[in-house]
Every structure is written in structure tokens, then in C-alpha cells.
């Protein structure tokens, strides 16, 4: 009976789902492989001892966190909007700009939430396919934009799940032509050190999204933020729910920002681990291709069909893809050196599974 009332355009809609599975090593969701320092955890526990932190609503404007982010990026509080992960801000961005049927230009392959959220907000998905090596086709993008005139554009750099980046020069070249609102998702930018945040005043139509999930170890608390001109931040904030970010998430994010030296070291360690892992994967005869990466994960194309199932049965979780152009590919989150070595040894001992 309920399906009679469901929106007709969502009759075949399959929402994003990441089932919880048993594991010994988790390399499927691109979280930071390292835990927090004891002082960080102690400060969180001390904060929890004040029960009013739990019984009172949090600051709906996330002022303290926004001020801390402003100091980090040398921008004003008015240039910052905090959200429940960057996913919520993607939804808010599309919600305020899209009217029924408006086109959302985005890369393919890329983060699946772009197309899913566009559809939920009555948008029409306008995808441009990446090159064979997954680089961005700048000329084709400009041509598509000029021909189709989308309402908004989404760029992901470094791109998930392919791992490659857009250069600042290429982004600027695009922005010379694109004058609609542009969302630039920099969820993995800590691993490149490259960002468009310093250029937000030159391009008031962009909002740059960042997250605490990938490099700052707070995936479980869901903290994201956007930085842009005051005009675009005010626009996106129209759709932000009140009290969207909980008090624990806000204080943990603030304390993480106070501990950036630690996380910067872990980012560098992760990059070194990724480089080692990539080299070792290239030596394995069951792997056809290892793609370059600017992130904390590596995309590979195995020669065999059931490698991810084999790893799962050995309690190692990775992310597999079943649709073109990534059909058969596997994305592996960089782990600690111990985890990476176990992964490599497990693949070396590969046995076919049904």
C-alpha cells in the first residue's frame, strides 16, 4: 500500500548502504587507520563528566568550532558552515539551488552520494565520464557545461574512488567558464596539501567541503564543514537543520584541531604506507593494475573476480565495484604497516572461493 504513495521517480531508487560486517582489518571506508592520543581521549572523557553537555541542546551555529576553523584557514566565521559530515552539506547545497528537473553536472565515476542526493532533491543527473586513466576531461567538461547549462556543478578532488586530483590551474580554468554554484569536495585534500579554500574570495560561486572523517580520525562522530564566500554560505545555510551537529562531535572536532601536529604526522605516515602498499600490490600476479592515488586509499583492478570475497572470508574488508567503468575494481584503504603486510600476505596465499 505504501508504494502507491511513493514518489514515482523514486520507484527504482537504491539508497546508499554500507552494511556492518565482521572484520579483523577494516580497509573499506577510508577512515584514518590510527587511533587518538591518550590526552585527547582523556579530555573527551573529562568533558563528558559535565552532564549538562548532554542534557542541553548544542550551539546551533557551531560558533566555537567555526571560530577554530576560521583560525586554521584564516577566514571569517561567516565563511564557514558546519554539518553532519560533508554528506549533509551536499544535501543542503542541492536542496537550496535545485528546482524540479535542474541539471547537476558531476564526474563519473565518483562519490555515489552526488547522484543519489541530486535525485532526492528532484535534480537531473548530468554526468561526464572521466578519461580512461580517470583524469578529468577539462575540454569536454567546458563543452558540456556550455551546451547543457547545468544549475550546479560538483567537482571531487582528490576523486573518490579513483584517487586522482584536479590541479588548481585546471579548476581555475573551469571557473573562468562556469558561473553557476560549484561544490568542490576536498574530503581527501589533507593527503595532497592542495586546496581551493585560499581562493574563495576570487570565486564567490564556490563552496569547498572538508571532513574530519578521513584524516582527523572522527568518522564515528560525523563532522564536516564548508568554506566559501559569505553569500554562498548564507544560501546553503537556508537548508541546514537546527542543532544539526551534536555537542560531542563539536567539542571533539575542536580538540582535534588543537592536535593538528599529531594528525599531520599520521597523514604523512599514511602516505608512506600507501606508497609501500602500492609497490607491493604491483608485485602480485593476481593484480592487473594499481592506479596512482593522492589519497589514503588505492584503487586496483584484479585479474580475478572474487578477490574481495576471498579477503572478506579472511576478515579483511575492502570495497568492490560491480558497475562500469569500475566493474571488477577494488578500493583498498591504506592501513597501518602491520595491516598492510597482513593484506599482502593474505593475497599472496589467494585461494579461489565460490
Amino acid at each position: 500500500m505504501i508504494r502507491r504513495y511513493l514518489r514515482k521517480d523514486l520507484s527504482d531508487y537504491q539508497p546508499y548502504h554500507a552494511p556492518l560486517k565482521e572484520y579483523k582489518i577494516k580497509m573499506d571506508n577510508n577512515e584514518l587507520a590510527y587511533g587518538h592520543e591518550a590526552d585527547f581521549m582523556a579530555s573527551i572523557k573529562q568533558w563528558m563528566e559535565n552532564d549538562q553537555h548532554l542534557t542541553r541542546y548544542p550551539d546551533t551555529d557551531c560558533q566555537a568550532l567555526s571560530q577554530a576553523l576560521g583560525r586554521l584557514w584564516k577566514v571569517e566565521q561567516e565563511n564557514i558552515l558546519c554539518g553532519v559530515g560533508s554528506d549533509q552539506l551536499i544535501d543542503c547545497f542541492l536542496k537550496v539551488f535545485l528546482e524540479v528537473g535542474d541539471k547537476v553536472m558531476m564526474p563519473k565515476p565518483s562519490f555515489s552520494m552526488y547522484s543519489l542526493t541530486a535525485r532526492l532533491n528532484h535534480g537531473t543527473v548530468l554526468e561526464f565520464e572521466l578519461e580512461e586513466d580517470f583524469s578529468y576531461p577539462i575540454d569536454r567538461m567546458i563543452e558540456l557545461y556550455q551546451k547543457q547549462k547545468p544549475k550546479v556543478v560538483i567537482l571531487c578532488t582528490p576523486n573518490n574512488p579513483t584517487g586522482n586530483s584536479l590541479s588548481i590551474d585546471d579548476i581555475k580554468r573551469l571557473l573562468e567558464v562556469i558561473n553557476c554554484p560549484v561544490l568542490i569536495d576536498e574530503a581527501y585534500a589533507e593527503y595532497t596539501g592542495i586546496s581551493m579554500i585560499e581562493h574563495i574570495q576570487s570565486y564567490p560561486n564556490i563552496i569547498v567541503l572538508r571532513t574530519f572523517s578521513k584524516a582527523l580520525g572522527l568518522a564515528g562522530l560525523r563532522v564536516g564543514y564548508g568554506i566559501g564566500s559569505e553569500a554562498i554560505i548564507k544560501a546553503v545555510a537556508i537548508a541546514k537543520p537546527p542543532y544539526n551537529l551534536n555537542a560531542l562531535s563539536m567539542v571533539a572536532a575542536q580538540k582535534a584541531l588543537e592536535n593538528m601536529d599529531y594528525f599531520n604526522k599520521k597523514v604523512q605516515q599514511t602516505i608512506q604506507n600507501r606508497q609501500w602498499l602500492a609497490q607491493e600490490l604491483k608485485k602480485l600476479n593476481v593484480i592487473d593494475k594499481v592506479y596512482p592515488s593522492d589519497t589514503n586509499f588505492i584503487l586496483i583492478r584484479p585479474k580475478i573476480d572474487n578477490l574481495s570475497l576471498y579477503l572478506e572470508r579472511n576478515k579483511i574488508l575492502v570495497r568492490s565495484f560491480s558497475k562500469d567503468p569500475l566493474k571488477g575494481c577494488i578500493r583498498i584503504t591504506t592501513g597501518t604497516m602491520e595491516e598492510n603486510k597482513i593484506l599482502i600476505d593474505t593475497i599472496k596465499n589467494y585461494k579461489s572461493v565460490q
Side-chain angles (χ1 to χ4, degrees):
M1 184 273 290
I2 292 298
R3 293 194 66 83
R4 290 168 47 198
Y5 294 89
L6 188 68
R7 274 171 43 190
K8 290 182 174 57
D9 62 314
L10 297 181
S11 61
D12 63 342
Y13 188 87
Q14 295 296 321
Y16 187 95
H17 182 58
L20 184 63
K21 299 178 181 179
E22 183 182 353
Y23 64 89
K24 292 181 180 178
I25 300 177
K26 196 172 189 300
M27 309 178 89
D28 60 337
N29 275 342
N30 303 340
E31 302 106 330
L32 184 69
Y34 297 95
H36 295 275
E37 291 185 306
D39 287 349
F40 175 91
M41 296 304 297
S43 67
I44 297 297
K45 291 175 183 176
Q46 183 179 15
W47 179 87
M48 291 284 290
E49 290 176 0
N50 184 340
D51 64 359
Q52 286 199 6
H53 290 153
L54 304 183
T55 60
R56 304 301 182 192
Y57 283 109
D59 173 16
T60 192
D61 296 319
C62 306
Q63 292 183 77
L65 177 56
S66 294
Q67 289 166 4
L69 289 166
R71 290 191 294 271
L72 175 67
W73 292 110
K74 297 180 175 56
V75 298
E76 300 300 320
Q77 188 175 342
E78 293 74 18
N79 298 119
I80 300 169
L81 184 65
C82 297
V84 182
S86 51
D87 296 5
Q88 185 180 53
L89 297 179
I90 294 167
D91 181 58
C92 291
F93 175 83
L94 295 176
K95 192 167 276 150
V96 299
F97 289 121
L98 293 186
E99 298 182 65
V100 176
D102 281 341
K103 297 171 185 175
V104 184
M105 181 173 157
M106 64 185 72
K108 178 184 179 180
S110 195
F111 185 33
S112 60
M113 285 303 297
Y114 303 145
S115 58
L116 292 173
T117 309
R119 286 187 61 188
L120 281 176
N121 286 292
H122 302 281
T124 299
V125 175
L126 177 64
E127 295 177 316
F128 57 88
E129 292 200 3
L130 301 181
E131 303 287 9
E132 188 174 351
D133 64 354
F134 298 133
S135 60
Y136 274 82
I138 304 300
D139 290 335
R140 279 198 290 113
M141 292 166 65
I142 291 173
E143 182 180 352
L144 182 66
Y145 173 79
Q146 292 175 326
K147 181 178 180 180
Q148 295 290 337
K149 297 179 174 55
K151 185 69 169 292
V152 297
V153 173
I154 297 176
L155 305 175
C156 184
T157 180
N159 189 43
N160 172 30
T162 60
N164 57 295
S165 301
L166 268 167
S167 71
I168 296 297
D169 286 344
D170 278 342
I171 295 173
K172 288 181 176 181
R173 183 180 165 204
L174 289 168
L175 293 175
E176 288 174 5
V177 178
I178 298 173
N179 51 29
C180 69
V182 178
L183 184 152
I184 303 176
D185 189 344
E186 293 186 349
Y188 300 91
E190 284 88 353
Y191 296 97
T192 66
I194 299 172
S195 177
M196 279 297 291
I197 290 176
E198 63 184 271
H199 303 290
I200 60 169
Q201 300 303 338
S202 300
Y203 302 98
N205 59 321
I206 71 171
I207 182 170
V208 181
L209 299 192
R210 304 289 289 240
T211 178
F212 283 74
S213 297
K214 307 305 182 183
L216 279 79
L218 294 182
L221 293 182
R222 310 301 294 120
V223 186
Y225 60 98
I227 297 183
S229 66
E230 185 175 353
I232 199 168
I233 292 298
K234 280 185 175 180
V236 176
I238 291 172
K240 183 188 80 68
Y243 309 117
N244 62 319
L245 202 56
N246 71 72
L248 176 58
S249 294
M250 281 192 279
V251 75
Q254 289 167 233
K255 292 182 182 299
L257 293 176
E258 295 169 4
N259 203 20
M260 286 302 295
D261 287 346
Y262 170 78
F263 292 111
N264 288 336
K265 290 176 183 176
K266 293 308 175 187
V267 164
Q268 292 306 312
Q269 183 63 60
T270 300
I271 292 171
Q272 293 175 21
N273 293 354
R274 184 198 71 212
Q275 293 169 341
W276 180 90
L277 180 59
Q279 292 302 315
E280 294 301 310
L281 286 167
K282 290 176 182 178
K283 298 176 185 177
L284 301 177
N285 57 17
V286 297
I287 307 299
D288 182 44
K289 185 169 181 58
V290 178
Y291 291 93
S293 176
D294 297 327
T295 67
N296 66 337
F297 61 80
I298 298 172
L299 185 71
I300 66 170
R301 189 177 292 278
K303 295 177 181 177
I304 49 181
D305 294 331
N306 53 13
L307 180 59
S308 61
L309 179 59
Y310 164 75
L311 291 171
E312 183 178 326
R313 291 187 178 179
N314 282 274
K315 301 296 186 292
I316 300 175
L317 300 184
V318 295
R319 174 70 186 276
S320 59
F321 298 93
S322 59
K323 296 181 180 179
D324 289 330
L326 296 177
K327 186 175 182 179
C329 286
I330 292 174
R331 190 191 65 194
I332 302 171
T333 306
T334 304
T336 64
M337 279 303 294
E338 180 182 4
E339 291 171 335
N340 292 342
K341 288 176 180 177
I342 293 173
L343 171 75
I344 293 297
D345 289 341
T346 304
I347 296 177
K348 285 180 179 178
N349 295 323
Y350 168 78
K351 295 177 183 177
S352 179
V353 293
Q354 300 299 319

